[in-house]
Amino acid sequence: MKKKINIMRIGLVGEAPTDTSAIQNLLRKRYPAPAYDFVTLLDQIHGSLLDSQKIKRFLRIEFEDKRPDIVIFIRDLDSIHTHSQVFSEKKRYFSESNRVVNKQGIFLLNIYEIEALVVADIEAFNRKYQTALEYNGDCMMLEDPKGFLRSHCKSYSEIDNAELFKELSFDTLLEKCRYFQGFIYRFNKRLAV
């Protein structure tokens, strides 16, 4: 007799399809199928449209249709973490959206942008793009990490992020990126409930 697997369904809401695909590919390294089933919500919605009340109604419809156990809201702070006004705006977005999904949400706030995770594992970037880029600082203190990557590698595009995130080391990101480490800690606690 086969043992029944408990499947945890995890919804992803992001600013762009490339962001949700990138984070899904990264999380699958630690949370593989079939035990973890990732589903994208609002996959045609981009950026600041996520803040509108109309989109929150669509989110509610998709949440009820796809029934995720947890919803990860992926946003970029577009600032370093010390910018308190922007930080408060993003926290308000999460609070409002979390109510729409019956408080099943967890927030992944990228500081400054999702590309900070790429900078945290710059060796993976170098292998993929055949570059020798170095960054030894705190990835959370780098303003415009996407611009940093583009300025040193003209062939880089955020469209590549879904595939690039498959190459990133989950353990390296835990070690070098405090916001990702905090997110995984909170995520694991939610999974354990």
Side-chain angles (χ1 to χ4, degrees), residues 3 22 30 45 49 70 72 81 94 102 110-111 119 135 139-140 146 152 154-155 158 161 191:
K3 183 179 176 183
R30 189 62 51 97
I45 306 302
L49 288 175
I70 297 173
I72 300 172
H81 69 285
F94 173 68
N102 299 340
N110 297 299
I111 302 170
V119 173
Y135 186 80
C139 65
M140 291 177 60
K146 185 188 312 179
H152 291 85
K154 300 297 180 203
S155 61
E158 67 261 34
N161 278 352
L191 293 175

Side-chain angles (χ1 to χ4, degrees), residues 13-190:
V13 176
E15 294 183 357
T18 54
D19 287 2
T20 51
S21 295
I23 294 299
Q24 178 178 316
N25 288 340
L26 178 62
L27 293 177
R28 279 200 181 284
K29 292 173 170 244
R30 189 62 51 97
Y31 310 96
Y36 301 94
D37 180 26
F38 290 91
V39 295
T40 301
L41 307 175
L42 302 176
D43 61 347
Q44 300 301 314
I45 306 302
H46 293 257
S48 62
L49 288 175
L50 290 171
D51 298 325
S52 83
Q53 290 303 315
K54 181 179 178 181
I55 298 306
K56 289 182 177 73
R57 286 194 293 274
F58 291 147
L59 174 60
R60 180 66 189 183
I61 292 168
E62 285 202 43
F63 175 73
E64 290 177 349
D65 181 49
K66 296 181 178 176
R67 299 176 184 210
D69 300 295
I70 297 173
V71 178
I72 300 172
F73 290 92
I74 307 159
R75 296 295 302 264
D76 291 347
L77 185 60
D78 296 321
S79 175
I80 59 173
H81 69 285
T82 55
H83 194 163
S84 60
Q85 180 182 348
V86 181
F87 200 82
S88 295
E89 290 169 9
K90 297 297 180 178
K91 285 180 74 174
R92 186 174 50 248
Y93 155 78
F94 173 68
S95 179
E96 292 173 1
S97 298
N98 197 23
R99 283 195 296 270
V100 172
V101 299
N102 299 340
K103 298 188 176 181
Q104 297 301 309
I106 183 168
F107 201 21
L108 174 54
L109 182 61
N110 297 299
I111 302 170
Y112 187 102
E113 299 165 321
I114 194 171
E115 284 78 7
L117 293 170
V118 176
V119 173
D121 186 9
I122 202 68
E123 292 305 317
F125 181 86
N126 285 335
R127 283 191 302 275
K128 180 166 179 65
Y129 291 98
Q130 306 290 306
T131 56
L133 189 57
E134 291 185 18
Y135 186 80
N136 297 316
D138 181 349
C139 65
M140 291 177 60
M141 298 304 290
L142 178 62
E143 291 189 31
D144 190 17
K146 185 188 312 179
F148 172 78
L149 295 171
R150 282 183 179 158
S151 69
H152 291 85
C153 179
K154 300 297 180 203
S155 61
Y156 168 71
S157 167
E158 67 261 34
I159 294 171
D160 299 339
N161 278 352
E163 290 303 312
L164 177 58
F165 273 59
K166 289 180 180 176
E167 306 302 319
L168 299 180
S169 164
F170 195 95
D171 291 330
T172 299
L173 299 188
L174 283 179
E175 179 186 331
K176 292 187 174 181
C177 185
R178 287 176 284 125
Y179 79 77
F180 184 70
Q181 183 183 64
F183 164 75
I184 292 299
Y185 175 78
R186 295 189 315 277
F187 185 55
N188 285 337
K189 283 183 72 171
R190 292 290 302 275

